[in-house]
Amino acid sequence: MIDNPFVGKWSYRSLLNDPDLKLAFNDLEFGQGVIEINEGPMQILTGVIGGPGWSLALKGSRDYGSPMHARFQGVGVVGGEQWIYDYQGYLVPHWPNGVQQRPAMVGSVIRTIPHSGSEPGTVSPAGVVASFYAVKFD
């Protein structure tokens, strides 16, 4: 049994924080991928987050509490330029009457430095904040 509930693989999705309910759900997508958190001391977090065409090394910390908390930074080179994102997440507490509840982490992510956008000639600016959730699958 793993004593550290953050260790393992998580499906990751992040959404822009736009309050307009008329906006299509798909238009809120900020990112998606897989987070893999390595075994290690409870206070230290290492791992990787990535998807098709991108990968960031994770380094940070995790803490006991109610709820348990993780804060980490993802750093990597994607398409020849540096990407840096910072994450803060909270382990969703277990519901006593929950049905088939899976471990989940919810939180916030910020683009720490700008990088090229998905369209040629565009820039994804620093400072954009999105919400994320991740569901453990391994």
Side-chain angles (χ1 to χ4, degrees):
M1 179 174 158
I2 296 175
D3 294 328
N4 189 327
F6 291 103
V7 172
K9 292 182 181 178
W10 304 74
S11 60
Y12 166 88
R13 293 176 179 89
S14 55
L15 302 168
L16 295 170
N17 293 330
D18 190 318
D20 185 356
L21 290 173
K22 294 177 187 168
L23 194 60
F25 196 78
N26 287 346
D27 293 339
L28 296 172
E29 183 178 338
F30 186 70
Q32 65 177 330
V34 173
I35 296 174
E36 186 167 357
I37 297 175
N38 299 329
E39 187 81 55
M42 182 60 202
Q43 299 79 10
I44 297 178
L45 185 144
T46 62
V48 66
I49 183 172
W54 67 282
S55 179
L56 306 177
L58 300 178
K59 186 176 180 181
S61 63
R62 39 194 174 202
D63 298 306
Y64 289 104
S66 185
M68 295 181 81
H69 171 255
R71 185 177 174 107
F72 47 96
Q73 185 173 77
V75 177
V77 175
V78 179
E81 63 184 325
Q82 188 171 42
W83 283 21
I84 301 177
Y85 286 80
D86 283 279
Y87 304 81
Q88 183 158 272
Y90 300 89
L91 199 60
V92 174
H94 177 76
W95 286 97
N97 297 317
V99 177
Q100 298 179 346
Q101 180 180 355
R102 299 193 60 91
M105 189 179 358
V106 297
S108 182
V109 55
I110 184 169
R111 185 182 299 119
T112 308
I113 63 170
H115 60 72
S116 297
S118 56
E119 299 295 322
T122 63
V123 173
S124 295
V128 175
V129 176
S131 295
F132 80 84
Y133 73 100
V135 179
K136 194 170 190 179
F137 66 89
D138 182 29

